[in-house]
Amino acid sequence: MARIAVIGAGMGAMAAAARLAVAGHRVVVYERTATYGGALGRFERDGFSFDTGPGLLPLPAVWRDLFVKTGKEPLESRVELVQVDPSSRHVFADGTRVSLPNASRAGVVAALDAALGPAAGQRWGDFLVRARETWDRTRRPLLEEPLWPNWRVLAEREPYPAVPHKRRLRTRRAGTLAEVGAWELRDARIAALLESHALAYGLDPRTAPANTAVLPYMEYAFGMWYVRGGGLRELARAVYERCLARRVEFRFGAEVTGIVEKDGRVAGVELADGALAEAEFVLAGVAPGVLDRLSGGSPLRGGGEVPPQRGGASRLTVLLALRGGRPPGTVHRTVVHAPDRDAELDALFGAAPRMPSRPTVTVLRPEDPALVPDSDHEAVTVTSVVPAGDDGSDTEDRAERLLEAAERAVPGLRDRLLWHEVRTPADVAAATGVADGAIPVPALAGAGGRLLHPANGTRTGGLFTVGGWSHPGGGLPHAGMSGALVAGLVVEGPEFRGSQ
């Protein structure tokens, strides 16, 4: 039995802790804040409750696997998972609206045909076939296996099977997601649908590699899910309680200020109160810059490792308490697209990043009695991508921009508004410990490796990274996969090659 110190109580870190405890190790989690869950926070006021992080769950199989492997018990015995149907409604710049069924390729094609014309649905269906091929090519090396030592193979190859395209007397293939949209989908509205999946993670579709196509594929192949009874914060609670049941110890309000090394291997962690906690293994669920500071150097760099990825975007969220119940037939998620996509992307990803004057927003309207004081009220969340490190100035003006867009999804919104709460990148930073509030993106191939994440193992023996800032990257499924990979590396050693 080894003593294992885990820095941070984020989802990836807790996933690893539960698995390691089941393997017989003594695991202690040190969390600087007063609670668990990392980005999966909750805001409560006047009987209303809101998720302050992700509001929907793709690929729930990752978390189902955790519960089976740590107790032979289904996740559904702890939370009520419901499939959101339709998966989303999109309101495009020209006013066109389309609702897309959940986890149904044929249904999505039919919906697009009806709203945008028959060629639109066919082109999207053909794209999903290519996206599936991309998923099949990248799933294991990017999600299910430790990062390859020869990771440059992943960096140099674009796995998306782009369609040849005649352009200026030359035959070219799409290398970016924006080119996939322009050359293969050939409709500004379907291109906006495609690009919204990249933008949701803070990726510029004009530079995101073509294999970013796996992000919409995950949604349309495996569906989008919600946790009824309190939102995704309840998933965090269930994982935390699973850790407790497996005798993982949590110490909240315990800030780690240093990682102790001896003879090239970790020996424990130092705490802000001066205490030293000895450990044979340390799992760091923190951003690379934080890990550099804790280790007094850079345990990730050297020997050809992937450079630590830095996030480039954060989120601005407005929580809305509304009078009047949720109307029957209301769609859970609506994406209201920006009227000028080029202007939006130039603002977000230009030389001087700033919040767009008219951004794309995502409106979540869950059907969940646990979120409201009674059936005569509704809890709505409106979110938009903003640059990381945004200073939050003119907060109410920025909130107004989101409300203006949200009115296209929630008729009569202003007349129903009781109060609103604004969550800025500074709030994200406070919850996650990432100084600028940046949000990590999932690992992607190609693009010279800039969207790969550092390997879970480091140059320091016994020190591992876990969570969204390490392989395989950001997003709830990826965090759970990270926890599984790190647990495997600790238990089986460097020969561990992932799940079979």
Side-chain angles (χ1 to χ4, degrees):
M1 179 179 73
R3 293 169 298 181
I4 299 176
V6 180
I7 306 174
M11 295 297 287
M14 289 198 295
R19 291 176 183 271
L20 289 168
V22 168
H25 299 292
R26 181 192 172 196
V27 184
V28 181
V29 178
Y30 299 91
E31 168 58 47
R32 64 181 181 84
T33 71
T35 190
Y36 53 84
L40 289 187
R42 172 181 284 160
F43 177 84
E44 295 177 319
R45 175 180 163 187
D46 299 341
F48 290 88
S49 181
F50 304 86
D51 279 324
T52 57
L56 290 172
L57 176 66
L59 205 59
V62 173
W63 298 99
R64 289 180 175 135
D65 180 72
L66 172 71
F67 275 74
V68 170
K69 297 290 177 58
T70 60
K72 298 181 181 180
E73 179 182 25
L75 172 61
E76 282 82 353
S77 69
R78 296 296 176 180
V79 297
E80 184 184 357
L81 272 181
V82 293
Q83 200 169 25
V84 176
D85 199 11
S87 171
S88 61
R89 178 178 63 170
H90 289 260
V91 180
F92 297 110
D94 67 354
T96 305
R97 297 169 181 249
V98 59
S99 294
L100 303 178
N102 203 337
S104 170
R105 176 179 176 273
V108 169
V109 168
L112 290 173
D113 280 345
L116 309 180
Q122 182 62 52
R123 286 196 291 267
W124 182 259
D126 292 343
F127 159 75
L128 287 180
V129 172
R130 295 188 291 276
R132 176 179 180 175
E133 185 174 339
T134 309
W135 170 262
D136 290 339
R137 292 176 177 178
T138 61
R139 176 177 55 85
R140 282 200 62 82
L142 287 184
L143 301 180
E144 297 179 354
E145 299 177 346
L147 187 66
W148 294 350
N150 60 335
W151 59 267
R152 287 182 178 82
V153 175
L154 300 173
E156 294 165 358
R157 295 179 182 175
E158 172 51 67
Y160 177 78
V163 176
H165 172 73
K166 287 281 189 180
R167 183 175 175 85
R168 296 180 182 177
L169 304 181
R170 296 177 57 192
T171 299
R172 300 183 59 184
R173 294 177 183 268
T176 68
L177 195 69
E179 290 174 341
V180 171
W183 300 353
E184 299 181 10
L185 299 179
R186 302 196 302 277
D187 184 302
R189 296 164 297 185
I190 314 179
L193 166 63
L194 172 66
E195 293 178 0
S196 67
H197 292 275
L199 188 60
Y201 283 101
L203 290 170
D204 183 348
R206 301 170 301 184
T207 59
N211 68 94
T212 307
V214 298
L215 300 182
Y217 174 77
M218 286 174 59
E219 175 171 332
Y220 295 110
F222 308 115
M224 295 296 282
W225 301 74
Y226 175 73
V227 180
R228 182 173 289 147
L232 262 65
R233 175 64 180 178
E234 288 300 295
L235 175 64
R237 176 195 56 76
V239 175
Y240 169 67
E241 291 179 351
R242 172 50 51 90
C243 287
L244 293 179
R246 298 302 170 258
R247 299 188 177 181
V248 174
E249 182 180 348
F250 285 81
R251 298 184 184 177
F252 295 107
E255 182 178 2
V256 173
T257 55
I259 296 172
V260 180
E261 298 181 26
K262 184 177 180 180
D263 299 327
R265 185 176 178 84
V266 295
V269 296
E270 295 177 344
L271 303 175
D273 63 4
L276 171 64
E278 295 182 350
E280 285 83 45
F281 296 93
V282 173
L283 279 53
V286 298
V290 177
L291 184 56
D292 292 352
R293 174 173 54 80
L294 295 179
S295 62
S298 181
L300 301 176
R301 301 190 183 107
E305 290 92 340
V306 179
Q309 189 199 88
R310 308 294 179 180
S314 186
R315 295 191 180 103
L316 181 71
T317 302
V318 183
L319 313 176
L320 306 176
L322 303 184
R323 62 172 63 89
R326 182 180 187 271
T330 295
V331 175
H332 188 117
R333 176 178 56 159
T334 300
V335 179
V336 181
H337 293 266
D340 188 334
R341 176 54 57 86
D342 290 336
E344 178 182 36
L345 297 180
D346 287 343
L348 284 171
F349 305 108
R354 65 188 188 281
M355 180 180 174
S357 59
R358 301 184 69 184
T360 294
V361 304
T362 298
V363 182
L364 298 182
R365 305 179 69 182
E367 183 182 6
D368 190 346
L371 304 184
V372 291
D374 54 51
S375 60
D376 291 327
H377 294 86
E378 183 180 5
V380 176
T381 302
V382 185
T383 305
S384 180
V385 172
V386 296
D390 188 280
D391 62 9
S393 59
D394 301 323
T395 298
E396 288 304 318
D397 174 69
R398 296 171 186 226
E400 180 64 26
R401 300 182 209 178
L402 268 63
L403 291 177
E404 181 181 352
E407 285 183 300
R408 300 179 67 189
V410 187
L413 183 154
R414 293 180 191 276
D415 293 337
R416 298 177 57 197
L417 185 61
L418 291 171
W419 52 262
H420 70 274
E421 175 77 16
V422 182
R423 312 288 291 182
T424 69
D427 296 303
V428 177
T432 64
V434 181
D436 57 4
I439 296 171
V441 303
L444 296 169
R450 64 182 175 83
L451 294 176
L452 296 175
H453 292 257
N456 305 107
T458 70
R459 289 186 296 125
T460 302
L463 175 61
F464 296 88
T465 65
V466 66
W469 292 99
S470 61
H471 180 73
L476 276 175
H478 299 71
M481 293 173 188
S482 176
L485 290 174
V486 171
L489 288 167
V490 171
V491 172
E492 298 186 24
E495 66 275 11
F496 175 70
R497 291 294 177 266
S499 59
Q500 299 299 320

